[in-house]
Amino acid sequence: MKLNNEKDCVVFAVLSFMMWGLTPIYWKLTQHISSGEILAQRVFWSFIFMIVLLLFLRKWNLYVEFVKEIIKKPRLFWSLFLASVLISSNWGIFMWAVIEGKIVEASLGQYINPLTSMLIGVIVLKERLSISQVVAFVLAGMGVVTLTLHYGVIPWISLSLALTFGFYGLAKKMIKADSTIGLALETMVITPIALVFLAYWMFQSQIQFFDSVSTSLLLIGSGAVTVLPLLFFTMSAKKVTLSLLGILQYISPTIVLVTGVFLYNETLSQAHLIALIFIWSAIAIYTFSSMRKHGDGSAASSGSARTIPMLSTKIKKGEL
Protein backbone atom coordinates (compact mmCIF):
# COMPACT_ATOMS: atom_id res chain seq x y z
CA MET A 1 0.00 0.00 0.00
CA LYS A 2 1.37 3.39 -1.00
CA LEU A 3 0.48 6.76 0.47
CA ASN A 4 0.96 9.64 -1.95
CA ASN A 5 -0.87 12.33 -0.01
CA GLU A 6 1.26 13.98 2.67
CA LYS A 7 -1.76 14.61 4.89
CA ASP A 8 -2.62 10.91 4.82
CA CYS A 9 0.98 10.13 5.77
CA VAL A 10 0.76 12.45 8.76
CA VAL A 11 -2.47 10.72 9.83
CA PHE A 12 -0.79 7.31 9.68
CA ALA A 13 2.24 8.64 11.58
CA VAL A 14 -0.01 9.99 14.33
CA LEU A 15 -1.92 6.71 14.36
CA SER A 16 1.30 4.71 14.79
CA PHE A 17 2.46 6.84 17.73
CA MET A 18 -0.99 6.66 19.33
CA MET A 19 -0.96 2.87 19.03
CA TRP A 20 2.48 2.71 20.66
CA GLY A 21 1.23 5.00 23.41
CA LEU A 22 -1.80 2.81 24.11
CA THR A 23 0.14 -0.47 24.38
CA PRO A 24 0.20 -0.33 28.22
CA ILE A 25 -3.53 -1.04 28.15
CA TYR A 26 -2.87 -4.22 26.20
CA TRP A 27 -0.02 -5.38 28.43
CA LYS A 28 -2.15 -4.76 31.51
CA LEU A 29 -4.58 -7.33 30.14
CA THR A 30 -1.75 -9.88 30.17
CA GLN A 31 -0.62 -9.23 33.76
CA HIS A 32 -1.85 -12.68 34.87
CA ILE A 33 0.83 -14.20 32.60
CA SER A 34 4.50 -14.32 33.55
CA SER A 35 6.58 -11.54 31.98
CA GLY A 36 9.05 -14.07 30.59
CA GLU A 37 6.39 -15.96 28.65
CA ILE A 38 4.81 -12.72 27.38
CA LEU A 39 8.16 -11.66 25.95
CA ALA A 40 8.92 -15.05 24.41
CA GLN A 41 5.45 -15.30 22.88
CA ARG A 42 5.68 -11.72 21.62
CA VAL A 43 8.95 -12.45 19.84
CA PHE A 44 7.59 -15.64 18.26
CA TRP A 45 4.24 -14.21 17.11
CA SER A 46 5.89 -11.01 15.89
CA PHE A 47 8.09 -13.14 13.66
CA ILE A 48 5.04 -15.03 12.34
CA PHE A 49 3.21 -11.78 11.64
CA MET A 50 6.28 -10.31 9.93
CA ILE A 51 6.56 -13.31 7.60
CA VAL A 52 2.89 -12.94 6.65
CA LEU A 53 3.42 -9.20 6.17
CA LEU A 54 6.47 -9.70 3.95
CA LEU A 55 4.49 -12.08 1.74
CA PHE A 56 1.60 -9.61 1.56
CA LEU A 57 3.94 -6.72 0.68
CA ARG A 58 5.83 -8.90 -1.85
CA LYS A 59 9.11 -8.42 -0.01
CA TRP A 60 9.86 -12.08 0.54
CA ASN A 61 12.62 -12.19 -2.08
CA LEU A 62 14.30 -9.13 -0.56
CA TYR A 63 14.09 -10.76 2.84
CA VAL A 64 15.74 -13.94 1.51
CA GLU A 65 18.52 -11.85 -0.03
CA PHE A 66 19.19 -10.23 3.33
CA VAL A 67 19.31 -13.64 5.01
CA LYS A 68 21.90 -14.81 2.47
CA GLU A 69 23.89 -11.62 3.04
CA ILE A 70 23.88 -12.22 6.79
CA ILE A 71 25.08 -15.81 6.39
CA LYS A 72 28.03 -14.60 4.32
CA LYS A 73 29.01 -11.82 6.74
CA PRO A 74 29.49 -12.85 10.40
CA ARG A 75 29.92 -9.22 11.44
CA LEU A 76 26.49 -8.42 10.02
CA PHE A 77 25.00 -11.40 11.84
CA TRP A 78 26.41 -10.30 15.20
CA SER A 79 25.17 -6.76 14.63
CA LEU A 80 21.74 -8.23 13.92
CA PHE A 81 21.94 -10.47 16.99
CA LEU A 82 22.91 -7.50 19.17
CA ALA A 83 20.02 -5.46 17.76
CA SER A 84 17.66 -8.38 18.46
CA VAL A 85 18.81 -8.74 22.07
CA LEU A 86 18.55 -4.99 22.67
CA ILE A 87 15.05 -4.56 21.23
CA SER A 88 13.82 -7.70 23.03
CA SER A 89 15.26 -6.36 26.29
CA ASN A 90 13.52 -3.04 25.64
CA TRP A 91 10.21 -4.84 25.08
CA GLY A 92 10.68 -6.93 28.21
CA ILE A 93 11.56 -3.98 30.45
CA PHE A 94 8.62 -1.94 29.20
CA MET A 95 6.12 -4.77 29.64
CA TRP A 96 7.46 -5.56 33.12
CA ALA A 97 7.21 -1.87 34.09
CA VAL A 98 3.60 -1.72 32.91
CA ILE A 99 2.59 -4.90 34.73
CA GLU A 100 4.35 -3.79 37.93
CA GLY A 101 2.59 -0.42 37.97
CA LYS A 102 5.55 1.69 36.85
CA ILE A 103 4.07 3.19 33.70
CA VAL A 104 5.09 6.74 34.64
CA GLU A 105 8.74 5.68 34.86
CA ALA A 106 8.42 3.92 31.51
CA SER A 107 7.07 7.11 29.92
CA LEU A 108 10.05 9.06 31.26
CA GLY A 109 12.35 6.57 29.57
CA GLN A 110 10.56 7.10 26.27
CA TYR A 111 10.81 10.86 26.64
CA ILE A 112 14.59 10.78 27.00
CA ASN A 113 15.12 8.24 24.18
CA PRO A 114 16.15 10.85 21.57
CA LEU A 115 18.49 12.58 24.02
CA THR A 116 20.13 9.27 24.94
CA SER A 117 20.58 8.47 21.24
CA MET A 118 22.19 11.89 20.85
CA LEU A 119 24.66 11.11 23.66
CA ILE A 120 25.50 7.71 22.15
CA GLY A 121 26.17 9.43 18.84
CA VAL A 122 28.63 11.76 20.54
CA ILE A 123 30.47 9.03 22.46
CA VAL A 124 30.51 6.25 19.86
CA LEU A 125 30.24 8.03 16.51
CA LYS A 126 32.12 11.17 17.59
CA GLU A 127 29.29 13.41 16.48
CA ARG A 128 29.43 17.06 17.51
CA LEU A 129 26.72 18.77 19.52
CA SER A 130 25.48 22.29 19.12
CA ILE A 131 25.24 24.52 22.18
CA SER A 132 21.46 24.11 22.28
CA GLN A 133 21.81 20.30 22.20
CA VAL A 134 24.28 20.43 25.09
CA VAL A 135 21.79 22.54 27.06
CA ALA A 136 19.03 20.03 26.24
CA PHE A 137 21.13 17.12 27.46
CA VAL A 138 22.08 18.92 30.70
CA LEU A 139 18.43 19.71 31.42
CA ALA A 140 17.42 16.08 30.84
CA GLY A 141 20.27 15.00 33.12
CA MET A 142 18.98 17.31 35.83
CA GLY A 143 15.61 15.61 35.53
CA VAL A 144 17.20 12.19 36.07
CA VAL A 145 19.24 13.50 39.01
CA THR A 146 16.05 14.90 40.56
CA LEU A 147 14.44 11.46 40.58
CA THR A 148 17.65 9.85 41.85
CA LEU A 149 17.91 12.22 44.80
CA HIS A 150 14.21 11.90 45.62
CA TYR A 151 14.06 8.10 45.62
CA GLY A 152 17.64 7.43 46.65
CA VAL A 153 18.15 5.08 43.69
CA ILE A 154 18.89 5.60 40.03
CA PRO A 155 15.66 5.42 37.93
CA TRP A 156 16.90 2.28 36.21
CA ILE A 157 13.64 1.56 34.36
CA SER A 158 13.69 4.92 32.57
CA LEU A 159 17.42 4.75 31.85
CA SER A 160 17.32 1.09 30.76
CA LEU A 161 14.52 1.78 28.28
CA ALA A 162 16.36 4.78 26.86
CA LEU A 163 19.76 3.07 26.70
CA THR A 164 18.57 -0.22 25.18
CA PHE A 165 16.68 1.66 22.48
CA GLY A 166 19.58 4.05 21.89
CA PHE A 167 22.11 1.25 21.42
CA TYR A 168 19.53 -0.64 19.34
CA GLY A 169 19.52 2.29 16.93
CA LEU A 170 23.31 2.18 16.82
CA ALA A 171 23.31 -1.55 16.02
CA LYS A 172 20.71 -0.96 13.30
CA LYS A 173 23.15 1.33 11.50
CA MET A 174 25.18 -1.77 10.65
CA ILE A 175 22.18 -3.67 9.25
CA LYS A 176 20.67 -0.95 7.05
CA ALA A 177 17.42 -2.68 6.15
CA ASP A 178 14.02 -1.04 5.91
CA SER A 179 11.80 -1.36 8.97
CA THR A 180 9.68 -4.31 7.86
CA ILE A 181 12.59 -6.47 6.72
CA GLY A 182 14.68 -5.33 9.69
CA LEU A 183 12.10 -6.39 12.27
CA ALA A 184 11.58 -9.71 10.46
CA LEU A 185 15.33 -10.39 10.65
CA GLU A 186 15.55 -9.35 14.30
CA THR A 187 12.67 -11.54 15.40
CA MET A 188 14.01 -14.39 13.22
CA VAL A 189 17.34 -14.35 15.06
CA ILE A 190 15.85 -14.24 18.56
CA THR A 191 12.88 -16.60 17.91
CA PRO A 192 14.93 -19.83 18.39
CA ILE A 193 15.91 -18.62 21.87
CA ALA A 194 12.28 -17.76 22.63
CA LEU A 195 11.20 -21.24 21.49
CA VAL A 196 13.79 -22.88 23.75
CA PHE A 197 12.33 -21.06 26.76
CA LEU A 198 8.77 -21.87 25.72
CA ALA A 199 9.66 -25.55 25.26
CA TYR A 200 11.31 -25.63 28.69
CA TRP A 201 8.29 -24.04 30.38
CA MET A 202 6.00 -26.45 28.57
CA PHE A 203 8.12 -29.39 29.74
CA GLN A 204 7.91 -28.01 33.30
CA SER A 205 4.12 -27.53 32.93
CA GLN A 206 4.60 -23.80 33.57
CA ILE A 207 3.46 -22.44 30.22
CA GLN A 208 0.21 -20.43 30.38
CA PHE A 209 -0.57 -20.22 26.67
CA PHE A 210 -3.12 -23.05 26.91
CA ASP A 211 -4.77 -21.90 30.14
CA SER A 212 -7.72 -20.31 28.34
CA VAL A 213 -8.82 -19.09 24.94
CA SER A 214 -8.52 -15.46 26.04
CA THR A 215 -4.95 -15.99 27.23
CA SER A 216 -4.00 -17.67 23.95
CA LEU A 217 -5.58 -14.87 21.90
CA LEU A 218 -3.83 -12.18 23.97
CA LEU A 219 -0.45 -13.81 23.42
CA ILE A 220 -1.05 -14.34 19.71
CA GLY A 221 -2.27 -10.75 19.44
CA SER A 222 1.00 -9.48 20.93
CA GLY A 223 2.51 -10.01 17.48
CA ALA A 224 -0.03 -7.72 15.85
CA VAL A 225 0.41 -5.14 18.62
CA THR A 226 4.11 -5.09 17.76
CA VAL A 227 3.85 -5.15 13.96
CA LEU A 228 0.89 -2.86 13.13
CA PRO A 229 2.29 0.41 14.58
CA LEU A 230 5.57 -0.27 12.78
CA LEU A 231 3.71 -0.85 9.52
CA PHE A 232 1.77 2.42 9.83
CA PHE A 233 4.96 4.28 10.73
CA THR A 234 6.80 2.81 7.75
CA MET A 235 3.95 3.77 5.42
CA SER A 236 4.10 7.38 6.57
CA ALA A 237 7.73 8.12 7.41
CA LYS A 238 9.00 8.44 3.85
CA LYS A 239 6.83 11.48 3.14
CA VAL A 240 6.69 13.17 6.55
CA THR A 241 9.51 15.62 7.30
CA LEU A 242 12.03 14.79 10.01
CA SER A 243 11.15 17.95 11.92
CA LEU A 244 7.48 16.97 12.08
CA LEU A 245 8.30 13.36 13.00
CA GLY A 246 10.53 14.74 15.75
CA ILE A 247 7.52 16.47 17.27
CA LEU A 248 5.00 13.69 16.64
CA GLN A 249 7.17 11.04 18.35
CA TYR A 250 6.35 12.55 21.75
CA ILE A 251 2.69 11.61 21.30
CA SER A 252 3.58 8.09 22.43
CA PRO A 253 5.23 8.82 25.83
CA THR A 254 2.59 11.48 26.55
CA ILE A 255 -0.21 8.94 26.09
CA VAL A 256 1.74 6.43 28.20
CA LEU A 257 2.11 9.02 30.97
CA VAL A 258 -1.56 10.04 30.88
CA THR A 259 -2.62 6.37 30.83
CA GLY A 260 -0.53 5.57 33.89
CA VAL A 261 -1.76 8.54 35.92
CA PHE A 262 -5.43 8.74 34.98
CA LEU A 263 -6.35 5.19 33.94
CA TYR A 264 -4.25 3.15 36.38
CA ASN A 265 -4.01 5.72 39.19
CA GLU A 266 -0.24 5.81 39.36
CA THR A 267 1.21 8.60 41.47
CA LEU A 268 2.74 11.58 39.72
CA SER A 269 4.92 12.79 42.58
CA GLN A 270 6.43 16.24 42.91
CA ALA A 271 9.79 14.74 41.94
CA HIS A 272 8.26 13.24 38.79
CA LEU A 273 6.71 16.61 37.93
CA ILE A 274 10.00 18.48 38.40
CA ALA A 275 11.82 15.85 36.35
CA LEU A 276 9.20 16.15 33.61
CA ILE A 277 9.59 19.93 33.52
CA PHE A 278 13.33 19.52 33.02
CA ILE A 279 12.81 16.83 30.37
CA TRP A 280 10.05 18.73 28.53
CA SER A 281 12.29 21.80 28.46
CA ALA A 282 15.10 19.67 27.07
CA ILE A 283 12.77 18.22 24.44
CA ALA A 284 11.60 21.69 23.37
CA ILE A 285 15.19 22.90 22.93
CA TYR A 286 16.27 19.67 21.21
CA THR A 287 13.32 19.72 18.80
CA PHE A 288 13.76 23.40 17.94
CA SER A 289 17.47 22.81 17.34
CA SER A 290 16.74 19.85 15.05
CA MET A 291 14.15 21.82 13.10
CA ARG A 292 16.61 24.65 12.52
CA LYS A 293 19.37 22.25 11.53
CA HIS A 294 17.43 20.16 9.03
CA GLY A 295 14.63 22.42 7.88
CA ASP A 296 11.46 21.13 6.28
CA GLY A 297 12.82 21.23 2.75
CA SER A 298 15.98 19.24 3.32
CA ALA A 299 14.25 16.89 5.72
CA ALA A 300 11.66 15.98 3.14
CA SER A 301 14.33 14.94 0.68
CA SER A 302 16.49 13.07 3.19
CA GLY A 303 13.80 11.72 5.51
CA SER A 304 13.66 8.31 3.90
CA ALA A 305 17.40 7.80 4.08
CA ARG A 306 17.68 8.94 7.68
CA THR A 307 14.57 7.32 9.07
CA ILE A 308 14.56 4.02 7.22
CA PRO A 309 18.05 3.20 5.87
CA MET A 310 18.38 1.03 2.78
CA LEU A 311 21.06 -1.51 1.92
CA SER A 312 21.19 -0.95 -1.84
CA THR A 313 19.32 0.33 -4.86
CA LYS A 314 17.83 -3.11 -5.24
CA ILE A 315 16.40 -2.94 -1.75
CA LYS A 316 14.90 0.48 -2.48
CA LYS A 317 12.76 -1.09 -5.16
CA GLY A 318 10.93 -2.93 -2.38
CA GLU A 319 9.78 0.25 -0.62
CA LEU A 320 6.18 0.46 0.53
Side-chain angles (χ1 to χ4, degrees):
M1 179 179 179
K2 293 183 179 180
L3 297 177
N4 297 317
N5 188 301
E6 185 176 352
K7 291 183 179 179
D8 291 339
C9 290
V10 172
V11 170
F12 271 84
V14 171
L15 183 60
S16 67
F17 288 122
M18 289 181 65
M19 291 177 71
W20 274 318
L22 291 171
T23 53
I25 297 176
Y26 192 89
W27 302 128
K28 277 290 188 181
L29 296 175
T30 65
Q31 61 186 347
H32 62 287
I33 309 170
S34 69
S35 298
E37 181 173 351
I38 297 173
L39 179 58
Q41 296 279 7
R42 181 181 183 182
V43 168
F44 172 71
W45 290 109
S46 293
F47 176 61
I48 299 299
F49 271 88
M50 287 308 305
I51 294 301
V52 173
L53 183 60
L54 289 175
L55 292 171
F56 176 76
L57 297 175
R58 299 179 180 178
K59 288 190 174 186
W60 178 255
N61 290 335
L62 296 174
Y63 170 72
V64 172
E65 288 184 26
F66 265 102
V67 172
K68 292 178 180 177
E69 189 82 8
I70 291 166
I71 294 173
K72 295 177 183 177
K73 299 180 179 180
R75 184 178 178 184
L76 192 59
F77 169 81
W78 288 114
S79 296
L80 178 62
F81 181 77
L82 178 61
S84 303
V85 170
L86 287 168
I87 194 61
S88 299
S89 300
N90 186 274
W91 291 350
I93 294 168
F94 184 83
M95 290 185 300
W96 180 87
V98 169
I99 293 172
E100 294 298 318
K102 301 181 184 296
I103 298 176
V104 171
E105 291 186 46
S107 72
L108 291 174
Q110 291 183 326
Y111 272 122
I112 62 177
N113 268 344
L115 301 173
T116 306
S117 297
M118 178 181 69
L119 179 62
I120 292 172
V122 171
I123 296 174
V124 180
L125 303 179
K126 308 301 180 184
E127 296 177 354
R128 298 183 63 180
L129 296 180
S130 64
I131 294 176
S132 57
Q133 288 175 323
V134 172
V135 172
F137 179 75
V138 169
L139 286 172
M142 291 173 68
V144 174
V145 170
T146 298
L147 290 176
T148 302
L149 293 176
H150 179 77
Y151 290 106
V153 293
I154 296 174
W156 70 268
I157 293 176
S158 302
L159 291 178
S160 296
L161 285 171
L163 287 171
T164 52
F165 197 80
F167 281 107
Y168 166 70
L170 181 64
K172 290 275 285 184
K173 284 182 176 291
M174 294 292 296
I175 304 167
K176 297 182 180 179
D178 75 21
S179 295
T180 48
I181 293 177
L183 185 57
L185 292 169
E186 291 155 19
T187 51
M188 175 194 74
V189 168
I190 209 73
T191 288
I193 299 176
L195 289 175
V196 168
F197 278 101
L198 291 174
Y200 173 77
W201 289 324
M202 184 179 292
F203 181 76
Q204 296 292 324
S205 300
Q206 296 176 353
I207 198 166
Q208 295 173 265
F209 181 82
F210 303 105
D211 284 357
S212 65
V213 174
S214 60
T215 296
S216 300
L217 291 176
L218 282 171
L219 291 172
I220 293 173
S222 65
V225 169
T226 301
V227 170
L228 288 179
L230 174 68
L231 174 61
F232 291 152
F233 178 80
T234 304
M235 290 166 61
S236 65
K238 292 182 175 66
K239 290 185 178 292
V240 179
T241 62
L242 284 175
S243 56
L244 182 54
L245 279 176
I247 296 172
L248 294 178
Q249 68 178 316
Y250 295 109
I251 292 175
S252 176
T254 301
I255 293 177
V256 172
L257 176 65
V258 171
T259 299
V261 174
F262 293 101
L263 189 59
Y264 296 110
N265 300 314
E266 290 194 15
T267 302
L268 186 64
S269 66
Q270 185 177 11
H272 279 122
L273 191 56
I274 294 173
L276 279 170
I277 291 173
F278 277 124
I279 292 170
W280 283 332
S281 300
I283 288 169
I285 294 172
Y286 173 82
T287 303
F288 180 72
S289 172
S290 298
M291 290 175 68
R292 287 186 60 188
K293 181 178 179 181
H294 299 294
D296 284 356
S298 62
S301 62
S302 63
S304 175
R306 304 242 348 225
T307 307
I308 307 175
M310 298 296 177
L311 179 64
S312 63
T313 303
K314 191 170 185 179
I315 298 301
K316 288 181 180 179
K317 293 180 181 177
E319 290 177 349
L320 290 171

